[in-house]
Amino acid sequence: MQLSAASMGNPPTGDGGPTALEARLERVRQLLGIDGALLALAGGETMQVLWHAGASAEIEGELAGLHRRAGLRTTPLIVPDIAAEGSPGFVRFYAGIPLTLGEDSPHLLLSLFDTSPRGPAMADQLAALAQEVFGGDALQRAQATIARLEAELAERERTVAELLAMRRRQMQLVDRASETARIGIWECDLSDNSLQWSNGVYDLFEFPRGAKVSREETVACYSPASREAMERARAKAIAECSDFALDAEITTVLGRRRWMRLTGTVEAENGVAVRIFGMKQDITEEKLLADRTRYLAEFDVMTGLANRSQFQARLADLDGGSGHAPIGALLLVDLDNFKQINDTYGHALGDECLKEAASRLRDACPGAELVARIGGDEFAVLLGQAGKNHIDEVAEQIVLEISRPFMRLGQSIALSASVGIACADGAPSPDLFKRADTALYAAKAAGRNTSRTFHTGMPYTVN
């Protein structure tokens, strides 16, 4: 039998003063000349102390075994000398007296104890006297008090149950919202780097829910670049007791690549960082959509080359002021008689020819700063700073690569290209483009399937 938390103090009286039963219990203790007395609800493994006089929790705990024995009896348990029973302790005398209020009423236990032993006759007299003092109206008052306490306890239990139910509903709402938003909550104790995760974080990394996961296992899931960025941001936040946030790439324990948005807040005590907590959100779909959007904004979907928008932005930065290498030359490439291919073989095969031409163009100038498709059958190549001979060699290689036979569906399709070259000599980008376009027209006028370089004697073409 264990003493309940109620044994640490008497029940409240409403006005702060002692109850009549508490006062009577104290009078019994004084009248009998004993160290302590208590009145409790008995039965089962737990005894709920209602009132006590002259007793401490330590002494009450020492008597647990005797309380258990007495609580199961219908007649008094009287032990004149506990030490004589081979149970040495601080308390020597004990009497446990069952008090019955009625068949349907709770079973009460009146316990008397003292640090000095009593003779058997004296012990019996003390027990009989105590039982007489607590008979009659005292038991009726005890019954009324117990009924009130039980009603209060039942009301408290209902209130607690309602609060727990409300808490569970709130947590369920939070869990559903977090699951919908793919957000998890995490915490790291900086004293030992131990982790606490909500289900959302377990699901993000694909660890089994509730598994014990070390920080080392978690960090190993980050890509090298994301791991370096995360550790740098984390160390700075810990040093400054501040916050941090970043997007990081991970590979789950099941091998899936994901992106997450990581936020962390450092909690400090007396200026020393002790804990980090925050959120981790799965942003893989958002990242893929952003990458796709950026790709569509910068690249040609059919050929995979840079598109006209990216070409124009790069051409505008001829001197490399935005961190790029300076541009040495612009080559404009136009497929010869491509309309005839579309008209003869259809647009589907024409698209295949464009893809093949793009691939050959990329192979012909691997060191180019940019290779782009800027129109239906028009391409552009930006070369870095190089000598005229190298530029001419690249143009010649482009003509040779594209003119190789192209076999599709058992048919050999003849492809060829004309190339116009303009060297960057300090002219602004619009003029550089016009010069390359002029040279391209000169190459077509020369019979196509060749290249020409712009020189000052060439007249500008007008589009």
Side-chain angles (χ1 to χ4, degrees), residues 5 76 150 425 450:
E150 288 181 337
D425 56 2
T450 187

Side-chain angles (χ1 to χ4, degrees), residues 2-32:
Q2 296 178 342
L3 300 178
S4 72
S7 67
M8 299 305 296
N10 292 331
T13 62
D15 58 1
T19 65
L21 286 172
E22 181 184 359
R24 180 171 293 214
L25 193 63
E26 175 61 24
R27 286 198 300 272
V28 168
R29 186 188 71 81
Q30 295 177 4
L31 177 64
L32 301 181

Side-chain angles (χ1 to χ4, degrees), residues 65 80 89 161 203 209 211 243 274 295 309 311 323 389 442 458 460:
D203 295 345
R209 289 184 176 183
D243 305 337
V274 296
Y295 180 86
S309 176
F311 164 73
N389 289 339
M458 283 184 180
Y460 279 125

